Amino acid sequence: SRCITLTIPPNSDKEADSFLANHELSRQKVSRVLLNSGGSLGIVLDSLQNTEDFNLSAMTLVRWLRFLYSKDLKQTLQWSEEMASKTREEIRIFLIFSITVFRQTAHLNHNSLTVPPFEYDTFDVKKFSPFVKPEDMPAILSCLQNCLNDVLRNGNSKAVLLDTSLQLFKYVGQA
């Protein structure tokens, strides 16, 4: 037929950063927006208008990482029940955000981070990165990606999130 496939590569973080320079934002807000953009200016513009997703994802991730670090099974079970009550789209946003933060951790461990690191409230990914071994990062990212796929395929969110948490227990906190 007469269709042509046109592939447009995502924008680099530098291009998105220069785009955001016109909006007179603080450096912290720019780093928050770039964290979830994946090079998409549409997501950048959406993030500028809606910061609730970021705050909710950041707060939830920080709580989850603290439960994983302390290996608190009871709190992790309660957390997975709370997360299961959210919509699939909210869980999807959270898991993509989590994958992005863990990737930042991997970049910090290899001194190759090009964007400002994730910070929220008293949590700083620079302080967290020593507690995640670089050799465990492929397994962690694979576990999170499998969790995302299972949630998107309409798996039981509570069971999937609890299973993922239990798998991540062995990777987080082994300084």
Side-chain angles (χ1 to χ4, degrees):
S1 84
R2 297 177 189 189
C3 295
I4 297 175
T5 302
L6 181 63
T7 305
I8 301 172
N11 296 308
S12 69
D13 285 336
K14 289 180 182 178
E15 292 170 325
D17 194 20
S18 66
F19 174 77
L20 290 171
N22 299 334
H23 290 319
E24 299 177 8
L25 300 170
S26 69
R27 190 70 200 147
Q28 185 180 16
K29 181 140 181 158
V30 168
S31 67
R32 284 184 180 183
V33 169
L34 290 177
L35 186 63
N36 283 332
S37 73
S40 170
L41 291 181
I43 293 175
V44 167
L45 291 173
D46 188 44
S47 295
L48 288 174
Q49 296 171 355
N50 185 8
T51 58
E52 293 173 17
D53 287 343
F54 175 82
N55 289 333
L56 182 64
S57 293
M59 180 183 65
T60 306
L61 177 65
V62 168
R63 281 183 55 225
W64 189 38
L65 290 175
R66 288 186 173 141
F67 298 149
L68 292 177
Y69 177 78
S70 64
K71 312 245 185 297
D72 189 343
L73 188 58
K74 182 179 178 185
Q75 292 290 330
T76 305
L77 182 60
Q78 289 174 350
W79 175 86
S80 64
E81 289 173 354
E82 289 173 22
M83 285 298 290
S85 67
K86 298 184 183 306
T87 66
R88 190 176 327 159
E89 182 65 16
E90 290 172 328
I91 296 172
R92 183 188 72 81
I93 290 169
F94 166 74
L95 289 171
I96 291 171
F97 180 77
S98 299
I99 290 169
T100 305
V101 171
F102 270 102
R103 282 190 179 133
Q104 273 199 354
T105 303
H107 285 294
L108 277 171
N109 284 334
H110 292 290
N111 297 321
S112 63
L113 188 64
T114 59
V115 296
F118 168 68
E119 294 177 11
Y120 181 78
D121 199 21
T122 60
F123 181 83
D124 185 358
V125 78
K126 288 183 208 172
K127 295 176 185 173
F128 174 70
S129 64
F131 297 102
V132 180
K133 292 181 182 175
E135 59 269 12
D136 291 339
M137 199 52 66
I140 291 171
L141 293 174
S142 173
C143 181
L144 288 170
Q145 189 62 49
N146 289 340
C147 178
L148 177 62
N149 292 340
D150 290 344
V151 167
L152 293 178
R153 291 180 184 143
N154 211 17
N156 182 335
S157 298
K158 179 181 173 185
V160 170
L161 290 167
L162 182 60
D163 180 55
T164 301
S165 298
L166 294 175
Q167 289 177 33
L168 292 178
F169 270 176
K170 60 185 169 188
Y171 299 120
V172 176
Q174 304 172 357

